[in-house]
Amino acid sequence: MAEAYIPRRAVRHLEKGRVVIFGAGLGAPFFSTDTAAAQRALEIGADAVLKGTKVDGVYDADPHTTPGAVRFKRLDYGEYLSRGLKVMDTTAVTLCMDNGLPIVVFALMGEGNVVRAIRGEEVGTLICRLDGEEKDE
């Protein structure tokens, strides 16, 4: 069972200490579930988008096919986009960049990773504004 999505109602559930899970996408063509996640996160004033995936972060190449691929600890939105990285679609990353919403990419099935990500602990790769800081590889 699920109720229809209404942003103010979702925020109210969160204020009451409830867990809110956004399922599915936007129901609009050309928009991925990544973009839906970014949109919903912005609508409710979330602190970050948590992207649980098959790999433990963002790499400079596909770690499944490229031996020696290097994982980033932190990555600027602009660098993510200019490198053409594929963990998350560019529309979602651009939406987060335009609104200063950080993205945490982590291995969904890694033991304890979801809880660690929710707590704000270091897990996977953080995509955010680095404001002149060096990226961490």
Side-chain angles (χ1 to χ4, degrees), residues 53-54 59 63 110:
T53 189
K54 295 177 185 177
Y59 285 78

Side-chain angles (χ1 to χ4, degrees), residues 40-51:
R40 296 297 183 237
L42 288 165
E43 288 174 342
I44 66 163
D47 294 329
V49 170
L50 304 181
K51 167 73 173 181

Side-chain angles (χ1 to χ4, degrees), residues 14-136:
L14 292 169
E15 289 170 349
K16 290 181 176 182
R18 297 175 181 149
V19 173
V20 177
I21 298 172
F22 301 103
L26 295 174
F30 311 113
F31 291 93
S32 71
T33 54
D34 291 342
T35 301
Q39 174 71 30
R40 296 297 183 237
L42 288 165
E43 288 174 342
I44 66 163
D47 294 329
V49 170
L50 304 181
K51 167 73 173 181
T53 189
K54 295 177 185 177
V55 294
D56 63 346
V58 179
Y59 285 78
D60 63 351
D62 184 345
H64 294 119
T65 60
T66 306
V70 176
R71 183 173 65 88
F72 297 97
K73 285 177 67 176
R74 294 184 308 167
L75 190 61
D76 186 80
Y77 303 107
E79 184 167 1
Y80 178 94
L81 295 168
S82 68
R83 285 178 174 257
L85 300 172
K86 302 291 183 191
V87 171
M88 214 169 170
D89 74 70
T90 57
T91 303
V93 174
T94 301
L95 186 58
C96 290
M97 177 178 67
D98 289 348
N99 291 279
L101 184 64
I103 304 164
V104 179
V105 179
F106 64 97
L108 180 61
M109 300 310 288
E111 189 173 333
N113 281 353
V114 173
V115 171
R116 289 174 54 217
I118 290 169
R119 289 181 178 160
E121 296 175 20
E122 190 173 304
V123 59
T125 299
L126 174 63
I127 304 171
C128 62
R129 285 194 186 110
L130 295 183
D131 296 328
E133 295 178 34
E134 291 293 318
K135 67 180 181 313
D136 294 333

